[in-house]
């Protein structure tokens, strides 16, 4: 299997960086993927530019920023899910507290002020 020269590897790295990737670890991972595909195509007889174009279409048809966005989403998905659960929980507590507080106030039961305070605090 043919290995890319340092010059061609630097060209690939600069094209990845100019494509809009800001995360250096992602740049190195992308470089590895590009090198593998380009080497495979060059072993098949393609020149560097043709192999690079094919690698670009195969690895990221939507553009390089799309890959970085997907990586960010995958890395922060669990955190986002936990934040949504907290927000929904606070919303439920707020709705329940305010509703029950108004009900208790209408019926003149004790604890209405506590429920309203809890509900409005959760709403904030």
């Amino acid at each position: 299997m043919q290995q890319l020269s340092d010059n061609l590897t630097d060209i690939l790295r600069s094209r990845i960086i100019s494509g809009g990737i800001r995360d250096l670890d992602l740049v190195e991972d992308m470089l590895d993927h590009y090198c593998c595909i380009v080497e495979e195509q060059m072993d098949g007889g393609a020149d560097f530019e043709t192999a690079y174009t094919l690698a670009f279409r195969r690895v990221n048809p939507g553009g390089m920023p799309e890959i970085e966005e997907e990586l960010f989403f995958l890395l922060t998905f669990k955190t986002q899910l936990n934040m949504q659960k907290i927000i929904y929980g606070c919303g439920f507590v707020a709705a329940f507290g305010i509703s029950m507080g108004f009900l208790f106030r209408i019926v003149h039961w004790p604890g209405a002020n506590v429920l309203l305070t809890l509900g409005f605090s959760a709403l904030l």
Side-chain angles (χ1 to χ4, degrees), residues 3-121:
Q3 280 212 310
L4 293 178
S5 67
D6 290 339
N7 186 27
L8 294 178
T9 305
D10 290 339
I11 291 171
L12 284 175
R13 181 180 285 114
S14 66
R15 287 184 181 178
I16 292 169
I17 292 171
S18 68
I21 302 292
R22 295 179 304 269
D23 185 10
L24 295 179
D25 291 332
L26 182 58
V27 168
E28 293 303 315
D29 290 339
M30 294 287 296
L31 180 63
D32 184 47
H33 287 307
Y34 274 112
C35 287
C36 291
I37 295 171
V38 168
E39 287 170 356
E40 177 184 312
Q41 293 300 316
M42 289 177 72
D43 283 343
D47 64 333
F48 176 74
E49 288 299 323
T50 306
Y52 170 75
T53 304
L54 180 69
F56 181 80
R57 275 189 267 152
R58 188 183 295 177
V59 172
N60 53 352
M64 291 201 195
E66 178 185 10
I67 290 178
E68 193 166 32
E69 289 170 8
E70 288 178 10
L71 175 68
F72 177 75
F73 175 74
L74 290 172
L75 293 176
T76 60
F77 178 72
K78 191 171 185 177
T79 304
Q80 290 175 359
L81 190 62
N82 288 336
M83 286 174 47
Q84 279 184 340
K85 288 179 183 178
I86 291 170
I87 289 171
Y88 290 147
C90 285
F92 175 77
V93 169
F96 182 79
I98 292 171
S99 299
M100 296 310 292
F102 281 130
L103 177 68
F104 276 38
R105 177 147 323 219
I106 290 170
V107 186
H108 300 291
W109 287 344
N113 290 335
V114 173
L115 285 171
L116 285 171
T117 303
L118 173 73
F120 283 116
S121 297

